[in-house]
Each structure stands twice: as C-alpha cells, then as structure tokens.
Amino acid sequence: LNLALGNALSGLKTNQRALSVLSNNIANANTAGYSRQTVNQSAIYVENVGSGVKIDEITRNIDTFLRRSIISQNGIHQANSQVNEYHERLQV
C-alpha cells in the first residue's frame, strides 16, 4: 500500500509541475523572446519494480533555423557597423 501511495504521490507532484510549465507557456504565448518549455519525465525503478515518476529536466524549445539566422544576421550587422565606422572616420 505504501508503494502504491508513493507512486501516486510522485505522479501527482510531477503532473503538478508539468501543469505549472504548461500554464506558464500559455501565459507567455504572446511575449516577445519567450520560448516554449517542455517537461521531460521518466519512470523510477527500484529493483526492476516501478516506483513512480520523476522530472528529468525542463527544456526550452528553440527553432534552430531561427537561432542560426539570428546569429548570422548579428554577424553581418557587426561587420556593416565596422565598415560604417571606418567610412565615418575616413570622411572626417
């Protein structure tokens, strides 16, 4: 009975945290710069007997194409800023 209650309690705690992350995702859906988070869960085993569930990690989901694009555009912007600064000094 204690094992069953422990399993249920760990499941409830894990789901409570997952619901918290979900509600945070919904609340920040239109916030600029916010990236969606997901909860990664796994089962807990003790001597090959299921003993509940745990949260492995909470990860941010970032679009890798957009991230690469931002990094690339920042590099181009920095290069153009340097050229612009050089031209301004040349004019002086």
Side-chain angles (χ1 to χ4, degrees):
L1 183 61
N2 285 338
L3 181 62
L5 288 175
N7 289 346
L9 183 60
S10 72
L12 287 172
K13 287 181 179 180
T14 302
N15 282 326
Q16 182 179 19
R17 181 68 177 132
L19 284 172
S20 174
V21 169
L22 175 65
S23 66
N24 196 25
N25 287 338
I26 292 170
N28 292 302
N30 294 323
T31 302
Y34 182 79
S35 58
R36 185 173 60 92
Q37 298 177 341
T38 54
V39 176
N40 299 324
Q41 304 174 11
S42 66
I44 299 172
Y45 292 99
V46 175
E47 297 179 5
N48 293 330
V49 176
S51 297
V53 64
K54 66 177 181 172
I55 294 177
D56 289 333
E57 62 183 349
I58 298 174
T59 56
R60 293 192 180 277
N61 298 340
I62 300 172
D63 187 342
T64 54
F65 174 76
L66 290 177
R67 180 125 174 108
R68 286 184 194 147
S69 178
I70 289 169
I71 291 170
S72 173
Q73 293 303 315
N74 281 340
I76 292 169
H77 174 71
Q78 291 297 324
N80 288 336
S81 294
Q82 292 295 320
V83 170
N84 186 39
E85 184 180 326
Y86 173 75
H87 287 142
E88 286 178 356
R89 280 191 269 153
L90 192 63
Q91 285 181 350
V92 171

